[in-house]
């Protein structure tokens, strides 16, 4: 083997090594992207879970929230302010969820589950009153979404079962 053949063989092997390196890099980037998406989904769900946990563990916060849902005008000024902070966190979490969904970091199933939940909350007069008087702006896409959902009217997903559960601790009997 002469020197020129060895040089060509070296270039060929180097080219293969570059291709292998690029394939490996692509696989690593894809795995990193999946990991980042999972992390974003976890961050969004952690925010929402923390809020739910607060309602479940603090009777005073839960009572304030439930009263505010129905009629914010019946709350004291201090309680309306506290209610506004609760709803600001709810909307902030949902806005973040929407941004992560739009970026491809949250899957369709999770997005639909939480938008159905948001749609249900948007049917309450206290939530609508807060939205109309909100002190801070939200992104245009999220604002459009909320405005469209409020204009579309209440989302009554499973309302009969929910009311029966609240009143009796049991689901409603199926109607025949």
């Amino acid at each position: 083997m002469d020197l020129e053949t060895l040089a060509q063989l070296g270039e060929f092997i180097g080219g293969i090594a570059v291709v292998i390196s690029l394939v490996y890099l692509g696989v690593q980037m894809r795995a990193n992207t999946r990991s980042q998406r999972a992390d974003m989904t976890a961050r969004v769900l952690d925010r929402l879970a923390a809020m739910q946990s607060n309602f479940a563990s603090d009777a005073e916060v839960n009572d304030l929230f439930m009263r505010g849902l129905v009629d914010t005008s019946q709350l004291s000024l201090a309680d309306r302010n506290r209610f506004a902070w609760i709803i600001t966190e709810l909307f902030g979490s949902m806005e973040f969820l929407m941004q992560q969904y739009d970026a491809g970091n949250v899957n369709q199933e999770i997005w639909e589950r939480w938008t159905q939940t948001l749609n249900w909350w948007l049917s309450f007069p206290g939530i609508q009153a807060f939205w109309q008087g909100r002190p801070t702006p939200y992104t245009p896409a999220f604002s459009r979404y909320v405005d469209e959902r409020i204009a579309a009217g209440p989302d009554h997903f499973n309302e009969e079962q929910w009311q029966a559960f609240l009143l009796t601790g049991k689901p409603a009997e199926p109607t025949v």
Side-chain angles (χ1 to χ4, degrees):
M1 232 188 245
D2 64 356
L3 194 55
E4 187 176 324
T5 304
L6 285 174
Q8 290 175 349
L9 182 60
E11 280 185 42
F12 177 73
I13 291 171
I16 289 175
V18 167
V19 168
I20 290 171
S21 295
L22 289 175
V23 168
Y24 177 76
L25 180 61
V27 168
Q28 290 300 314
M29 287 178 63
R30 181 178 286 188
N32 185 47
T33 299
R34 276 194 302 267
S35 175
Q36 286 181 340
R37 285 182 178 157
D39 184 52
M40 282 298 142
T41 298
R43 285 181 59 201
V44 170
L45 297 179
D46 282 348
R47 256 180 100 166
L48 292 165
M51 213 168 80
Q52 291 172 330
S53 177
N54 193 30
F55 292 145
S57 63
D58 189 328
E60 184 183 347
V61 170
N62 187 59
D63 178 64
L64 169 67
F65 180 70
M66 297 305 290
R67 287 185 296 122
L69 287 177
V70 177
D71 186 0
T72 54
S73 70
Q74 298 301 309
L75 299 175
S76 69
L77 178 59
D79 281 350
R80 267 195 308 276
N81 192 43
R82 288 177 64 207
F83 181 77
W85 282 114
I86 292 168
I87 304 309
T88 297
E89 176 57 23
L90 171 67
F91 282 138
S93 295
M94 294 306 297
E95 181 181 45
F96 183 54
L97 176 67
M98 175 183 252
Q99 290 168 341
Q100 293 308 310
Y101 172 74
D102 289 344
N105 295 329
V106 172
N107 73 35
Q108 180 80 24
E109 210 170 57
I110 291 172
W111 168 246
E112 288 176 5
R113 178 258 193 265
W114 281 101
T115 56
Q116 286 179 358
T117 301
L118 177 61
N119 295 345
W120 185 67
W121 289 117
L122 289 171
S123 70
F124 288 91
I127 301 285
Q128 292 178 19
F130 169 83
W131 183 255
Q132 296 306 315
R134 65 192 179 275
T136 59
Y138 291 87
T139 60
F142 184 73
S143 295
R144 270 191 310 279
Y145 178 83
V146 172
D147 288 338
E148 288 168 5
R149 292 310 308 153
I150 289 173
D155 188 346
H156 294 289
F157 173 78
N158 210 21
E159 177 128 5
E160 181 181 323
Q161 296 293 341
W162 174 245
Q163 290 299 328
F165 171 76
L166 285 178
L167 295 173
T168 67
K170 298 176 186 173
E173 295 294 323
T175 54
V176 187

